[in-house]
Amino acid sequence: MDPCPFVRIVIGSLALKFPAEAKPPPTSTFDCKIKLKGFLTQSTTIPAFIQEKDAILDNRIHACFNFSKSELVKLVDKSNSRGKPCSLKIEIYGDNMGFGCFNGGKLLGSVLVPLDLKSFENIGHRGVVIKNGWVSVGGSSSTAELNLNVRAEPDPRFVFQFDGEPECSPQVFQVNGKNKQPVFTCKFSFRNSGDRNLRSRSSLSEPSTSTSCFSSDKETPVKERKGWSITVHDLSGSPVAAASMVTPFVPSQGSDRVSKSNPGSWLILRPGDNTWKPWGRLEAWRESNGELGYRFEIIPDGATDAITLVNSTISTKKGGKIGIDIVNGTTPLTSPNSSFDLSSGSGSGSDFGSQPGSGSWAHLLYRGFVMSSTVGGDGKCSQPEVEVGVQHVSCAEDAAAFVALAAAMDLSMDACRSFSQKLRKELRQQDQELW
């Protein structure tokens, strides 16, 4: 099945220039708000110069906005119905104190960049430049100019949908529009304390433990949540990824919540040489304001240090998304390969495209959009939807690892619930009260 079409609007190379006769700016940097209707405002800091010859421009990306095809169609329809072009707005703030301009800073001016959304529908593989170069900064007293590079790039993604909650061992479908096909199955289980089947460098086999969903309510109170695991299989039944809770989720002393100082954690595992090998680590906790905090680290094969890809929070009431999107530096134009069929995979080494070596740590670079996954709010039914950038998938195991990460993130919402609340029966062992 082909990947789903997405478009990425990239705003980069921002810099502010003042004419030589102008009064020197109060600071060498200014703050910007970058706005697009329907999206969260993004903020950045940009350099300022007196003359163009002093300008040192780079290719740094300052903001990105991502559209699925359906979102793009909606924007086109709305702009057409209103008779107004959809525009990107860049506001520039400054004051005599330099930094901290958003808190009472003066609006120096703004720039509007109209977006011809119709041209995005046939963007092709190379992308299009929307605006490039110096433009005047609008404002009653502003004589400054802003350098910018705004472009639209194709950003195809594989989209996966759980057909049930992770703790109920659901199927996972690949989705493209109205087309759906099964590609993975998930098996949720409880790993006993003596079971090391899902540990690093251990035997690549199924956990020899009982599985959910349980109907028995016979429980012994134990104030910890531990031993959860979820194994992802391809359609041939081969395990292709797993998430294993390796650090129990326990309440901090004197409270009923998991704290940041003592988070629970998962290992995300991939098969290799008939063993499970660690690929990533997910930590989760409950913030003092009630939000779910999380941190995800990649563990390069053979490396001693993990690399943090994301460290953020999600609303426990409304839920949200875990997102890994690396925007600093030069984001490459993604070149979608022709067609991939996850269902044809048969375990380790399944061909997923034509990027040699992209599955090895020597060649796999995490740049641009990596993945996102929905996370349901506390106590709400959740069926994660996972998006993975095409450039980060070269085999079935690549996709399965992100699916396992999505499942672990969703389960962490339950694992971090207040210990004064009882979990649903699917998350409680027969011999334990996992609160």
Side-chain angles (χ1 to χ4, degrees), residues 159-180:
V159 179
F160 305 97
Q161 176 72 61
F162 287 66
D163 75 343
E165 296 178 283
E167 60 266 32
C168 290
S169 301
Q171 273 193 310
V172 178
F173 291 84
Q174 186 183 350
V175 180
N176 191 338
K178 295 182 180 180
N179 299 319
K180 294 174 63 176

Side-chain angles (χ1 to χ4, degrees), residues 228-240:
W228 302 358
S229 67
I230 192 159
T231 309
V232 181
H233 304 80
D234 63 17
L235 295 187
S236 71
S238 300
V240 285

Side-chain angles (χ1 to χ4, degrees), residues 348-361:
S348 181
S350 303
D351 186 17
F352 214 91
S354 56
Q355 298 177 345
S358 61
S360 69
W361 288 113

Side-chain angles (χ1 to χ4, degrees), residues 260 285 293-296 308-313:
K260 186 176 183 179
W285 60 89
Y294 67 93
R295 177 172 50 248
F296 177 66
T308 299
L309 292 188
V310 63
N311 187 346
S312 190
T313 60

Side-chain angles (χ1 to χ4, degrees), residues 16 18 30-35 89-96 101-111 137-142:
L16 197 61
F18 291 87
F30 283 75
D31 290 331
C32 284
K33 287 183 179 180
I34 303 173
K35 300 179 178 181
K89 187 174 185 180
I90 303 174
E91 296 177 344
I92 303 167
Y93 292 81
D95 63 13
N96 292 328
C101 303
F102 295 141
N103 298 320
K106 181 180 178 182
L107 177 64
L108 175 71
S110 62
V111 171
V137 175
S140 59
S141 60
S142 174

